[in-house]
Amino acid sequence: MKNLLVILLLLASWVCANDDLRVADSCYAVRAEKAVGDKANKKNTELMTARYKAAMADSTVEEQATLGYVKSLFFTIRFIDIDKNKRMATLNTMKTDSEKAYQKFPKNKEIAYCYLSILSMWGNERGALTSVKEGVANTIRDVATSTENWQVLGRAHFVLPYVPLILPWPDKKLADKYLTMAMQKDPKDLNNYYFLAELRFDQKRYADALDLIDRGLSRGVRTSFFLEDKRGRWHLKELQKKINAKLDKK
């Protein structure tokens, strides 16, 4: 009887301790509800982020809550309207928090992915050359390589500028290699089709780019990634229009 009482008390304490995490997870699960276009419901997103941050104080679920927190930050910067005057300050906070999360759990590849994505957005806001000078590009390369995040690494090789003596990369041949690897690794991610198609467009391989776009659009929208895939389809369609307009001029 004594052992049973102890077990019940421990279970009760666990339930109470993880209430924030359960609420946050439920918010994340319904993050596409009440969306307007591809913009998410701000109140739900704010509640999700706050509850994940609160749950991080519980050592028994800290890694899980930290992952949820950085995912909510990444989701916010992609799908919530942020005042232009507050955008850089918001990105600074997100960069700092996601960096701390990665340093705490460097082996968690999902946390690393969110950190890299937020860092890339932060660097893009500051300008590609500035991001190179401030070491952002090197960080992206090193973390993406160590976590085998081929999508971010390939994307970095494609969009960052070549700066002699400061940065001995990017290399568009490597962009091709890594983005192809990303596609093979996760053919369900519409961003992989978009990024590789954009590279093919840059290479003037228009037929290949259009084929990738058609393949991406044929996948439809995943229920569990409704907003993410909706945004991905929009990017694919816009690139398709751009390529067709280019071909029509010939």
Side-chain angles (χ1 to χ4, degrees):
M1 178 66 97
K2 183 177 180 180
N3 289 337
L4 179 59
L5 181 60
V6 171
I7 291 172
L8 289 173
L9 287 172
L10 287 173
L11 182 60
S13 64
W14 181 85
V15 169
C16 292
N18 288 278
D19 184 60
D20 285 316
L21 182 61
R22 286 199 311 278
V23 171
D25 281 343
S26 67
C27 290
Y28 192 82
V30 297
R31 63 194 184 281
E33 290 188 7
K34 296 183 180 179
V36 178
D38 65 349
K39 294 299 181 184
N41 181 272
K42 190 173 182 180
K43 288 185 178 179
N44 180 68
T45 304
E46 288 176 344
L47 176 62
M48 171 176 72
T49 305
R51 287 299 189 105
Y52 273 132
K53 192 167 187 178
M56 287 165 61
D58 179 0
S59 61
T60 64
V61 295
E62 185 181 8
E63 183 170 355
Q64 186 180 352
T66 300
L67 171 59
Y69 180 62
V70 294
K71 284 171 70 174
S72 69
L73 295 180
F74 183 36
F75 181 79
T76 297
I77 201 65
R78 295 174 72 196
F79 297 108
I80 297 295
D81 283 320
I82 298 174
D83 185 277
K84 289 183 179 180
N85 297 325
K86 298 179 180 178
R87 185 172 175 82
M88 199 63 228
T90 303
L91 269 172
N92 285 337
T93 300
M94 291 181 174
K95 171 182 173 289
T96 300
D97 287 358
S98 61
E99 190 169 45
K100 288 178 181 177
Y102 170 71
Q103 290 171 349
K104 182 96 176 181
F105 301 106
K107 293 182 180 180
N108 190 307
K109 291 187 177 183
E110 288 186 272
I111 289 176
Y113 173 75
C114 292
Y115 166 51
L116 285 173
S117 299
I118 292 169
L119 185 62
S120 297
M121 291 181 181
W122 181 86
N124 185 59
E125 290 282 333
R126 293 180 63 82
L129 284 171
T130 301
S131 75
V132 169
K133 293 176 184 177
E134 293 184 358
V136 174
N138 281 331
T139 300
I140 291 173
R141 178 193 61 190
D142 295 343
V143 176
T145 302
S146 66
T147 58
E148 298 183 347
N149 192 318
W150 310 131
Q151 184 190 91
V152 174
L153 186 57
R155 187 67 174 163
H157 275 289
F158 179 52
V159 301
L160 286 173
Y162 173 68
V163 184
L165 303 179
I166 297 177
L167 189 69
W169 70 287
D171 183 334
K172 287 189 179 179
K173 290 181 181 178
L174 289 178
D176 200 323
K177 172 186 174 181
Y178 290 124
L179 289 175
T180 299
M181 289 169 66
M183 171 71 77
Q184 293 169 346
K185 185 177 180 180
D186 188 3
K188 294 180 180 180
D189 186 344
L190 293 189
N191 280 324
N192 284 330
Y193 292 90
Y194 170 64
F195 293 150
L196 192 54
E198 194 175 40
L199 176 63
R200 294 287 178 261
F201 175 67
D202 184 72
Q203 294 169 332
K204 296 182 172 56
R205 294 169 57 179
Y206 304 127
D208 290 337
L210 289 171
D211 178 63
L212 282 164
I213 292 170
D214 288 340
R215 285 164 54 195
L217 292 174
S218 70
R219 298 202 68 92
V221 175
R222 295 169 292 176
T223 304
S224 55
F225 292 94
F226 182 79
L227 285 178
E228 291 85 346
D229 284 355
K230 190 173 181 181
R231 174 70 65 85
R233 288 177 65 82
W234 179 83
H235 280 305
L236 287 168
K237 289 178 179 178
E238 288 299 303
L239 181 58
Q240 188 179 53
K241 291 177 186 177
K242 187 176 179 180
I243 295 171
N244 285 330
K246 183 88 173 179
L247 292 175
D248 288 342
K249 290 181 180 179
K250 289 189 174 183

